[in-house]
Amino acid sequence: MTVAIVDYGMGNLASVRRAIEGLGGRVEIAKHPQELATADRVVLPGVGAFGEASARLRESGWADALKDEILLGTKPLLGICLGMQLLAVEGEEDGVHPGLGLVAGRVCRIDKLGCRLRVPHVGWNAVSHRDDDPLFESIPTLMDFYFVHSYAFQVDDRDAEVATVTYGTVLAAAVHKGRVFGTQFHPEKSSRAGRQVLENFLAYPSC
Amino acid sequence: MLKVRVIPSLLWKGVGLVKGIGFDSSRRVGSVLPAVKVYNSRDVDELVLVDITATSEARHPDDASVSEFAEHCFVPLAVGGGVRELSDIVRLLRAGADKVVVNTAAYELPELVSQAARKFGAQCIVASVDVRTMNGGYTCMSHCGTRDSGRCPVSWARELEARGVGEILLTSIDRDGTMMGYDLALIESVTKAVNIPVIASGGAGSYQHMVDAVQLAGASAVAAASLFHFTEQTPAGAKVAMRAAGIPVRSSLPSALPS
C-alpha cells in the first residue's frame, strides 16, 4: 500500500508521513503529479492560507492532476485541514480563490459562518459523525480530534458532509464523496481516534 | 465543545532541558528527547518546545534537532526560539512543528508576523509574550526576558492580533518557576483585550492554579513546566481536577502509541 503525500510546498508533511508509516503504509512524498502513478492512495495535507495553496496547486499542475485522478482514476484521496478546504469550489481567504471543486461548497472564515468565539478554533473538540461512514468505522461518536483553523468548509452537498464539530456554530469536520475524503481536523495529531481515521482511509477500497 | 488544553512546556538550552525561576534557567532537568517521548507516551494535549538561547546566540532555529524530536512526537507541537525570518518558519514546519512560536522578532520585525500569518495562516503562528512587573505596571520583555520592549501587554496583544497572530502564549516572568500561581490579573487583562486564544504560562504550582487561570482569567489553555518537572503532578491529574471543576477537557485514552 503506497500512499503519495502531495508536496506543494505547504505543510507539515513529516507528521502525516510518520503516522501513515506507523500504520504500515509506504509513503512517497510526491513533488510532481507524475509520481502519483505508483501510488494506491493520495493525501493532500495543508497548513497555511487558501489563496497561496490554490495558486501553488494550479501552477504546479497538481490541481489538474488531482481532478483528473478523481474523474478518471481509481485512487482514494484524503485532504487534511487546508487540504480538505481545497476540495471546495472556492475559498475566501485573502480574496476569492478557486479550489479543486471536488465537493460543492465554499470556504469562509468561521466567524462569518456564525462563530462568536475566539478565532482560530484551536484544540481538541468533539466530532459528531454519521453512523455508517467508512472514514469513522470503529470510532465512537463525540470523540475529540485536534483542530487548528480559522476557516471552514461550508458544504453545499449535504450528503457529502459526514461529520461536524460545534464551535460557537456547527462546522464541517469531515467530508466524503465517492473516493474523495476530507478532514478539517488533523488525524495525524489526534491520538488513537485520529490513527483510526487514517487506518480507515487506507482500508477504503480503490475502484 | 472545545476542550481546555493542558500544555507541558519544555525549555531547551544547548544540549538539554532547563528550568529556573524568573527566567534564570538555573537547573538542568534532563534532555529534550526523553522528555518529548514521555509526554508523547502520556498523550498530552499539546507540547511547547522553546530554544531559549537561540536569539541571544543569534542562531537560527535548529530544525535538524527539531526534526529528530518530532519523529517521536505524535501530539501537536509548537516550537520556538530564534525565529527571525520566514525561512525559519518554513524549516520548522517542514521539520515537524505544527505551530511556530515567535517572541523577540515580533518586536523588532513586526512585518514578519503579518507576512507569516498571510503565508502560513494565523493558526500556525503563536506569539510568545513575556511580561515583567516594572514601576507598578506590566512591561513586555524581549530577548528571553532581558530587554525592555517598551510595550505594555494589552496594547501589544492587540497589535499582535491585528497583525494576524493565531494565539498568544502569555508568560509572567515574575511568577515563572515560583509555583505560586499564574498572574491572573495579567492574564485577564489580555484575554479581555483580544479575541484570539490565550495560553496562560508562568507560575502554575497546583491544579487549582490552572482551574483559576481558566475560570477566573479566561485562559483557553494552561502551560506549565516546573509543576511537571519538579512535582508529582501530571497533565492527566490536571485534567481530572479541571473536569471536577466543570471545565471541559479531553480524556487521554490509554493506548499503544508508536514510539
Side-chain angles (χ1 to χ4, degrees):
Chain A
M1 163 76 50
T2 299
V3 180
I5 301 180
V6 178
D7 181 1
Y8 57 108
M10 291 181 74
N12 174 353
L13 307 176
S15 304
V16 179
R17 190 191 73 224
R18 276 182 287 113
I20 293 173
E21 283 172 346
L23 293 170
R26 204 183 134 260
V27 168
E28 278 186 6
I29 303 293
K31 281 195 148 71
H32 307 289
Q34 304 90 278
E35 295 168 72
L36 275 192
T38 48
D40 304 297
R41 303 274 180 287
V42 189
V43 171
L44 180 67
V47 167
F50 193 100
E52 171 139 1
S54 165
R56 282 173 180 256
L57 286 180
R58 280 176 285 126
E59 283 155 21
S60 59
W62 271 112
D64 285 338
L66 292 170
K67 285 189 269 197
D68 284 345
E69 176 55 46
I70 293 307
L71 197 58
L72 306 165
T74 59
K75 305 180 216 292
L77 165 69
L78 172 66
I80 296 175
C81 193
L82 177 62
M84 164 166 143
Q85 295 174 3
L86 288 165
L87 301 175
V89 170
E90 60 187 17
E92 287 182 358
E93 185 170 5
D94 238 16
V96 180
H97 304 276
L100 297 172
L102 294 172
V103 177
R106 67 205 317 261
V107 174
C108 311
R109 205 158 186 266
I110 60 181
D111 48 358
K112 194 174 157 190
L113 295 173
C115 171
R116 300 277 163 264
L117 304 176
R118 292 175 191 269
V119 179
H121 175 211
V122 187
W124 297 82
N125 202 342
V127 169
S128 169
H129 62 82
R130 205 177 276 172
D131 275 334
D132 55 357
D133 193 83
L135 197 59
F136 291 92
E137 173 78 34
S138 308
I139 299 172
T141 196
L142 296 178
M143 291 293 295
D144 288 325
F145 289 83
Y146 190 78
F147 290 84
V148 55
H149 61 117
S150 308
Y151 286 75
F153 192 160
Q154 185 178 40
V155 184
D156 285 337
D157 179 351
R158 302 320 300 170
D159 288 333
E161 186 178 81
V162 298
T164 58
V165 64
T166 300
Y167 183 59
T169 186
V170 176
L171 301 171
V175 294
H176 172 200
K177 183 176 171 187
R179 273 178 292 117
V180 177
F181 295 86
T183 62
Q184 180 61 70
F185 54 82
H186 285 269
E188 75 283 11
K189 291 283 160 170
S190 294
S191 192
R192 208 170 67 185
R195 276 193 296 286
Q196 187 64 54
V197 164
L198 287 174
E199 215 176 294
N200 293 342
F201 170 67
L202 294 182
Y204 188 78
S206 332
C207 303
Chain B
M1 154 179 316
L2 185 65
K3 310 301 185 289
V4 168
R5 292 163 282 155
V6 175
I7 307 176
S9 59
L10 300 176
L11 304 180
W12 172 21
K13 182 178 185 178
V15 294
L17 281 183
V18 292
K19 193 63 196 72
I21 296 179
F23 277 33
D24 67 6
S25 60
S26 46
R27 291 170 72 171
R28 279 230 27 199
V29 293
S31 308
V32 179
L33 188 56
V36 168
K37 286 178 171 175
V38 165
Y39 283 128
N40 180 63
S41 71
R42 291 196 193 151
D43 198 24
V44 294
D45 294 334
E46 212 171 293
L47 208 49
V48 165
L49 172 64
V50 177
D51 178 341
I52 61 171
T53 54
T55 288
S56 59
E57 291 172 4
R59 268 193 295 108
H60 287 281
D62 178 358
D63 54 286
S65 293
V66 169
S67 196
E68 205 192 307
F69 304 145
E71 281 288 310
H72 301 275
C73 186
F74 292 81
V75 302
L77 177 65
V79 180
V83 174
R84 296 194 65 73
E85 293 169 2
L86 287 179
S87 60
D88 291 331
I89 300 176
V90 171
R91 284 202 315 276
L92 284 175
L93 291 175
R94 283 189 89 91
D98 298 290
K99 294 187 268 183
V100 174
V101 183
V102 180
N103 189 333
T104 297
Y107 301 103
E108 301 186 330
L109 307 158
E111 261 308 300
L112 173 68
V113 168
S114 322
Q115 284 169 8
R118 262 200 309 278
K119 191 176 167 69
F120 307 109
Q123 62 283 354
C124 281
I125 311 298
V126 178
S128 175
V129 179
D130 299 328
V131 179
R132 203 185 267 297
T133 46
M134 235 187 229
N135 305 321
Y138 290 119
T139 300
C140 299
M141 306 293 287
S142 69
H143 294 81
C144 206
T146 58
R147 288 195 213 171
D148 184 346
S149 72
R151 308 302 309 260
C152 91
V154 167
S155 66
W156 182 231
R158 286 190 172 129
E159 185 174 328
L160 289 167
E161 180 183 32
R163 287 191 175 276
V165 141
E167 292 178 274
I168 290 179
L169 171 63
L170 180 64
T171 304
S172 162
I173 299 173
D174 303 301
R175 296 293 181 106
D176 173 63
T178 63
M179 295 200 274
M180 286 170 46
Y182 294 105
D183 184 335
L184 298 180
L186 168 65
I187 297 167
E188 192 182 18
S189 69
V190 173
T191 61
K192 285 200 152 113
V194 296
N195 197 44
I196 58 178
V198 177
I199 305 166
S201 168
S206 70
Y207 298 148
Q208 187 60 43
H209 293 153
M210 294 179 154
V211 169
D212 291 344
V214 174
Q215 291 184 331
L216 304 180
S220 301
V222 290
S226 297
L227 178 71
F228 299 138
H229 288 314
F230 303 132
T231 78
E232 303 273 286
Q233 294 167 99
T234 63
K239 287 198 276 184
V240 168
M242 288 168 94
R243 189 176 296 114
I247 296 171
V249 286
R250 178 177 77 106
S251 334
S252 297
L253 300 170
S255 60
L257 289 170
S259 52

